[in-house]
Amino acid sequence: MMRNYYYLVAGLPELFMEQDRKDFSVNALKLEVKEQVHPSDYRLVEFLHLTYDNDNFLNKLLDRGLEFNELGSFEKSIFDDLDENINILPQYMQDFYYKHTGKKRSADEPDEEDDEPRDIFEAEKLPEVRFLENFYDLAINQKNSFLRYWFSFIRDFNNVLTALNCRRMGVDPALHLVGNNWLTEILAKSQAADFGLKRELDYIDRLIQATDIPDILERERKLDLIKWDMSDELTTWDYFNINFILGFFVRAGIVHRWLKLDAKTGEELFKRLFDDLRASYNLTEKF
């Protein structure tokens, strides 16, 4: 049975509004939550934010030259020296690091033979695709229901988005899709405008319409709103527990992104998140 955090959820609107929009800090909110939830529940919050650590890990390992994402759980200094700090990072990162670099975990470790690929497509997949497959395999097998459903949704959402982009560019999507399941098979083979997924994915029309928008910022806004609505839907019946808090952090991360990317959209999403929190606060009073 999940633990309920009545006072924390009731206090989130006030905690949220203590921050100025320009200095909105998800990390500050994480620290406040850390002090008020059970350690095992906070580990779920940290797992949710591993997606940002994944970006930082791949950025360094693959020398992408992108800006460090501050929303992860690991400091920049750890990624700056992967050789020295790799054993601090999660096991799936360690496994990928040693396989990708060919380095040994210890001096007496025998040379590892490459695994036999399951099919010709997997053998040619990009390193980051292989890495994400390892991460999502871990994520969708988590005991927490929100994490399982959320990461399953994000994996599928990104795969559909990838397939649409590949179609526009005339590129075979098979090598760029994460995972090997019924959806990736359909996305790799279907010629239908919606890949024949209207019954399986209720957001498919919104996603396709969003990708048709020529303005980059507006397109990104529409895509993020789909994620926002899904995080809200997944916590429809979660009023006080860790799932509610996890959904809140998904939306807070979106607000953080847009406050940096586009002030107007960030303000709108900031207000929407606050209104949602205030509604939750009113609900806690009833209970």
Side-chain angles (χ1 to χ4, degrees):
M1 180 177 294
M2 288 189 182
R3 302 173 185 86
N4 288 322
Y5 299 104
Y6 300 102
Y7 294 106
L8 172 59
V9 172
L12 276 176
E14 294 181 6
L15 177 62
F16 188 73
M17 289 307 293
E18 287 176 1
Q19 304 185 69
D20 185 87
R21 287 167 174 77
K22 296 180 181 179
D23 300 318
F24 177 67
S25 172
V26 174
N27 286 334
L29 289 170
K30 284 170 65 178
L31 290 176
E32 292 284 349
V33 169
K34 183 178 182 180
E35 295 178 356
Q36 301 186 55
V37 301
H38 191 275
S40 62
D41 283 339
Y42 187 71
R43 284 194 288 273
L44 301 179
V45 175
E46 290 184 314
F47 192 98
L48 179 70
H49 288 82
L50 278 175
T51 52
Y52 305 111
D53 292 306
N54 290 343
D55 290 341
N56 292 329
F57 174 73
L58 291 175
N59 183 38
K60 183 63 178 181
L61 184 63
L62 304 181
D63 195 24
R64 290 174 167 175
L66 301 176
E67 182 181 356
F68 178 79
N69 194 316
E70 61 187 20
L71 297 189
S73 298
F74 296 94
E75 296 180 358
K76 183 176 182 296
S77 59
I78 293 177
F79 295 103
D80 285 341
D81 192 347
L82 280 178
D83 288 341
E84 181 68 24
N85 300 315
I86 186 61
N87 292 333
I88 299 175
L89 296 172
Q91 189 64 47
Y92 72 92
M93 290 189 188
Q94 295 182 38
D95 293 342
F96 184 81
Y97 169 83
Y98 286 113
K99 186 161 187 175
H100 180 74
T101 62
K103 296 179 180 180
K104 297 182 179 180
R105 297 173 190 266
S106 61
D108 57 352
E109 181 184 14
D111 292 331
E112 181 180 351
E113 295 183 4
D114 290 337
D115 296 331
E116 189 70 22
R118 286 175 296 190
D119 55 58
I120 187 174
F121 297 113
E122 183 178 351
E124 300 174 5
K125 285 185 177 180
L126 297 173
E128 52 263 45
V129 175
R130 287 177 173 272
F131 173 79
L132 289 174
E133 286 180 335
N134 293 337
F135 172 72
Y136 281 116
D137 282 345
L138 177 65
I140 63 177
N141 284 290
Q142 292 294 302
K143 292 182 178 180
N144 175 265
S145 59
F146 180 88
L147 292 180
R148 289 200 311 272
Y149 291 125
W150 173 252
F151 282 113
S152 179
F153 158 73
I154 285 294
R155 181 197 59 187
D156 294 347
F157 177 93
N158 287 336
N159 275 336
V160 175
L161 186 59
T162 296
L164 287 169
N165 289 333
C166 286
R167 176 180 284 178
R168 286 182 170 84
M169 296 183 292
V171 175
D172 183 359
L175 308 182
H176 305 275
L177 300 175
V178 174
N180 185 15
N181 54 38
W182 67 272
L183 180 60
T184 56
E185 184 176 353
I186 290 175
L187 294 175
K189 297 178 180 179
S190 177
Q191 299 300 315
D194 62 356
F195 302 100
L197 293 171
K198 186 167 294 188
R199 291 185 178 180
E200 286 77 12
L201 304 177
D202 57 7
Y203 57 83
I204 187 71
D205 286 340
R206 291 178 65 190
L207 199 160
I208 293 174
Q209 292 168 7
T211 58
D212 286 335
I213 298 174
D215 182 82
I216 296 176
L217 285 179
E218 179 60 16
R219 181 166 67 243
E220 287 296 308
R221 188 180 76 87
K222 292 289 187 181
L223 292 173
D224 273 352
L225 286 177
I226 298 174
K227 298 175 186 177
W228 182 295
D229 291 342
M230 178 57 71
S231 73
D232 193 35
E233 180 180 327
L234 289 177
T235 57
T236 299
W237 305 110
D238 295 300
Y239 303 122
F240 315 106
N241 59 32
I242 191 61
N243 283 356
F244 177 90
I245 296 169
L246 291 171
F248 159 75
F249 272 115
V250 167
R251 296 186 288 279
I254 294 174
V255 171
H256 172 89
R257 176 175 183 243
W258 280 98
L259 285 173
K260 296 179 65 176
L261 193 63
D262 178 71
K264 181 180 178 181
T265 301
E267 289 279 343
E268 293 173 353
L269 292 176
F270 190 98
K271 182 179 183 302
R272 179 175 175 180
L273 183 54
F274 173 67
D275 289 343
D276 288 347
L277 289 174
R278 187 167 53 185
S280 299
Y281 173 80
N282 292 333
L283 179 62
T284 61
E285 288 185 324
K286 294 179 182 179
F287 285 83

